[in-house]
Amino acid sequence: MASSTVAQIYNRMSHDAQPSKVWTARDFTDTGSRSAVDVALHRLRSDNRIRRVDQGLYDLPRTNHLTKKISPPDYRSVIQAVARRDGAKVLVDGITAANNLGFTNAVPAKVVVWTDARVKAIHLDKMVIDFKKVAASRLVWADRPAAQLVQALIWLRDVLPSDHDKIAKRLKAILNDGDDGRRMRQDLQDHLGDLPDWLVPLVKDILNDATPPAPPPPTRTP
């Protein structure tokens, strides 16, 4: 049974569509009992086939083609894995969200994550993920499609007057980008009341401009 669990876990990690994904024991509950999963993960780690990122977090080590060194895990995947591991809500800080969405090229050396759980900081090479326990009222947008967009706009508040056109252009591009954009638009429309008062007019204007026009009715042939 243990060898079967080992094979299933390693096969799943090796063939996932996201090669940089970080995994938790909870992701393998269908492969065996919790004790069997723990033993399998320990065996895979002992064989250096997987890497332990943090307590209960694992990934497949990847080599950087340029430096020939093992690359650190993707911090975004680490944060998602922590949320699954601890059953926690998570929400990245504004500068991280702005960078992820292309509003800024500034890459933070420390990523601050708001959460409702007590989680110790995780060090990834030169980056630190610092988990900050906050009140539930600050996590209203956690796990929602527009969460990062809202965080980014709040962080950009001071430059909105001077960079309005540039920010609006990027916003429209994000909100018109396929299914993800559609889900963000719908989320914002459904939860305008959860936005800071100063942000509501801007979001309303952007939603009106960003919503794709309805397709024309089908042409009827006589």
Side-chain angles (χ1 to χ4, degrees), residues 78-127:
V78 172
I79 294 169
Q80 293 165 2
V82 167
R84 298 196 306 277
R85 181 192 68 185
D86 298 344
K89 290 184 177 181
V90 293
L91 190 62
V92 297
D93 62 318
I95 186 173
T96 304
N99 175 264
N100 288 341
L101 293 174
F103 286 106
T104 178
N105 292 324
V107 180
K110 180 169 77 170
V111 174
V112 178
V113 181
W114 299 353
T115 180
D116 57 352
R118 293 192 179 278
V119 184
K120 66 181 181 64
I122 296 177
H123 295 257
L124 306 175
D125 196 11
K126 296 180 181 179
M127 176 179 283

Side-chain angles (χ1 to χ4, degrees), residues 1-179:
M1 178 65 71
S3 60
S4 173
T5 303
V6 168
Q8 290 183 69
I9 290 176
Y10 189 70
N11 184 64
R12 183 173 301 175
M13 294 177 74
S14 301
H15 293 89
D16 190 81
Q18 303 175 49
S20 60
K21 182 173 180 177
V22 176
W23 303 78
T24 77
R26 289 188 176 189
D27 297 322
F28 306 110
T29 54
D30 60 316
T31 65
S33 65
R34 178 56 192 265
S35 60
V37 169
D38 287 342
V39 168
L41 289 169
H42 178 74
R43 183 178 299 178
L44 286 166
R45 181 192 174 197
S46 297
D47 292 343
N48 293 319
R49 288 196 281 170
I50 67 173
R51 169 175 55 183
R52 181 181 180 273
V53 176
D54 192 69
Q55 183 177 355
L57 304 181
Y58 305 89
D59 75 342
L60 294 178
R62 293 171 295 115
T63 301
N64 185 298
H65 295 300
L66 295 177
T67 65
K68 306 302 180 184
K69 295 180 179 180
I70 300 298
S71 299
D74 184 331
Y75 76 88
R76 290 164 294 194
S77 191
V78 172
I79 294 169
Q80 293 165 2
V82 167
R84 298 196 306 277
R85 181 192 68 185
D86 298 344
K89 290 184 177 181
V90 293
L91 190 62
V92 297
D93 62 318
I95 186 173
T96 304
N99 175 264
N100 288 341
L101 293 174
F103 286 106
T104 178
N105 292 324
V107 180
K110 180 169 77 170
V111 174
V112 178
V113 181
W114 299 353
T115 180
D116 57 352
R118 293 192 179 278
V119 184
K120 66 181 181 64
I122 296 177
H123 295 257
L124 306 175
D125 196 11
K126 296 180 181 179
M127 176 179 283
V128 177
I129 307 176
D130 189 18
F131 294 88
K132 182 178 180 182
K133 194 171 189 295
V134 298
S137 59
R138 301 186 71 178
L139 294 168
V140 171
W141 288 92
D143 303 323
R144 289 184 183 174
Q148 290 202 68
L149 192 59
V150 173
Q151 288 291 88
L153 289 174
I154 292 174
W155 181 75
L156 291 165
R157 180 179 185 177
D158 290 343
V159 298
L160 277 173
S162 58
D163 293 347
H164 179 276
D165 291 345
K166 179 181 175 182
I167 292 170
K169 182 179 179 180
R170 178 61 190 149
L171 262 176
K172 292 174 187 176
I174 292 171
L175 295 178
N176 283 325
D177 187 12
D179 289 340

